[in-house]
Amino acid sequence: MKLLMNNLPKNCLLAVLCAAGLIVSSCSTVSDLVSTGAQAAANAGVIDSGMAESISNSSQAIAKAAEDITPEQEYYLGRAVAGKILGNYKRYTSAALESYMNKICMAMVINSDEPQPFNGYHVALLDSDQINALSTPGGHILVTRGLVNCTDSEDALAAVIAHEISHIQLKHAVKSIKSSRAANAIIATASTAAKALSSKELNELTEAFGETVDSVVNTLVDSGYSKKAEFEADAHALELMAAAGYNPAAMNTMLHLLHDKLGSANTGFGKTHPSPAERIQKVTPLISAYKTADTSAKRKARYTKAVAGI
């Protein structure tokens, strides 16, 4: 072991230690393995004790970054993402309409497997003609005025909100955050190991957080989720709608409305989602499994009142 270590250049050794952390799935095993490797390198005289201590400490950062994001962390990260998006969109001022949309949201989440995240669900209306809706980790849902204008009933609006709730509950953005956190932690670890006892850890972590937020914003606004994730969100949305008494067939109706409005547009929904035609093809066979009675006519009057003037 000592002979092998002595034959490795320092930079190569650091790369091996970092790579070791990537091929072991257990957080504690990663930390232990890297720390043991660093100590062995110090014993072999390849690195000094200060460098070994720095590498060992940095391995703890990798382990921590790989932990599951807590609901509280999820909320604050999601709030930062929502804040950045709201920096580019003006909020539409209508307390009555936002209250109405939040009631629709609550009617669906109350019967779900995740009725109460860390700080609840919050639906906000964006003052934009663009047809779009976004959701961030922890319960923030943003819907544009343009998309609300595409709906023709409360059930269709519920389909939009249910789709966004589904992204939150299925942790689609959280998975993106976890991947980004791990990547940034590895970068920070490599930097700390190279500089030994660096005093810039806080700045690095702050930068990593900012990069994570930017990464999620890019996913929501530009690149979009994978088609698989979008189809999963549609399928889960049907469950939420049916459990709350909404007609799941309204998802199909909403997708047809989007098809008519969007055409071949490459903005908003058209940029970040599969085509309505693809989604219709996937969701139509699933709707027949639900035997929910169509009571949407009973909600017509309150829907018409809520969206009037928008």
Side-chain angles (χ1 to χ4, degrees):
M1 177 67 176
K2 183 172 182 178
L3 179 62
L4 176 61
M5 287 291 188
N6 280 326
N7 288 333
L8 281 175
K10 287 186 180 181
N11 289 343
C12 181
L13 174 62
L14 293 177
V16 170
L17 292 173
C18 289
L22 293 175
I23 60 175
V24 182
S25 60
S26 166
C27 298
S28 60
T29 303
V30 169
S31 178
D32 292 344
L33 177 62
V34 175
S35 297
T36 300
Q39 187 59 53
N43 292 340
V46 178
I47 59 177
D48 60 29
S49 59
M51 178 71 80
E53 182 180 357
S54 177
I55 293 174
S56 179
N57 290 339
S58 297
S59 72
Q60 302 298 323
I62 290 181
K64 185 171 180 58
E67 291 174 355
D68 287 339
I69 296 174
T70 67
E72 183 175 4
Q73 291 171 327
E74 194 176 337
Y75 166 73
Y76 285 112
L77 286 166
R79 190 174 71 169
V81 171
K84 188 144 191 174
I85 292 172
L86 286 169
N88 297 319
Y89 286 92
K90 182 181 177 182
R91 191 92 172 259
Y92 185 78
T93 306
S94 176
L97 181 53
E98 280 200 352
S99 175
Y100 172 69
M101 294 170 67
N102 274 281
K103 287 175 181 176
I104 293 173
C105 177
M106 290 308 301
M108 291 187 286
V109 299
I110 198 68
N111 295 301
S112 72
D113 292 335
E114 191 177 351
Q116 180 64 32
F118 176 72
N119 197 38
Y121 294 88
H122 304 276
V123 183
L125 191 59
L126 304 179
D127 190 8
S128 172
D129 290 327
Q130 189 181 79
I131 298 171
N132 207 355
L134 309 163
S135 57
T136 75
H140 308 85
I141 298 171
L142 308 173
V143 184
T144 64
R145 179 170 45 79
L147 182 51
V148 174
N149 278 328
C150 282
T151 65
D152 66 355
S153 68
E154 182 175 311
D155 290 46
L157 183 54
V160 170
I161 296 172
H163 179 88
E164 299 306 323
I165 294 170
S166 296
H167 279 311
I168 295 169
Q169 295 192 346
L170 295 174
K171 311 295 184 186
H172 289 151
V174 170
K175 291 172 184 175
S176 173
I177 287 175
K178 288 174 72 174
S179 174
S180 179
R181 287 174 81 225
N184 286 323
I186 292 168
I187 292 172
T189 299
S191 174
T192 304
K195 296 180 181 180
L197 300 177
S198 173
S199 63
K200 298 182 178 179
E201 183 179 75
L202 180 60
N203 288 337
E204 290 171 349
L205 291 176
T206 301
E207 182 180 350
F209 178 83
E211 289 174 1
T212 299
V213 171
D214 289 343
S215 174
V216 177
V217 170
N218 179 68
T219 297
L220 297 177
V221 177
D222 293 316
S223 61
Y225 293 118
S226 67
K227 287 187 177 183
K228 179 182 177 182
E230 293 296 344
F231 297 147
E232 287 175 350
D234 282 342
H236 188 65
L238 299 181
E239 297 179 22
L240 293 172
M241 294 174 70
Y246 288 113
N247 184 4
M251 172 66 78
N252 215 334
T253 301
M254 187 67 228
L255 291 172
H256 278 286
L257 291 169
L258 287 173
H259 181 270
D260 294 341
K261 291 281 187 179
L262 288 172
S264 58
N266 192 35
T267 59
F269 256 44
K271 184 178 182 180
T272 59
H273 289 69
S275 71
E278 288 180 279
R279 294 171 66 187
I280 290 168
Q281 184 179 21
K282 290 285 187 179
V283 82
T284 299
L286 304 178
I287 293 173
S288 60
Y290 297 92
K291 308 302 180 183
T292 309
D294 184 3
T295 58
S296 57
K298 297 180 180 180
R299 296 181 281 278
K300 186 66 175 178
R302 69 187 185 198
Y303 165 80
T304 302
K305 180 180 179 181
V307 302
I310 190 174

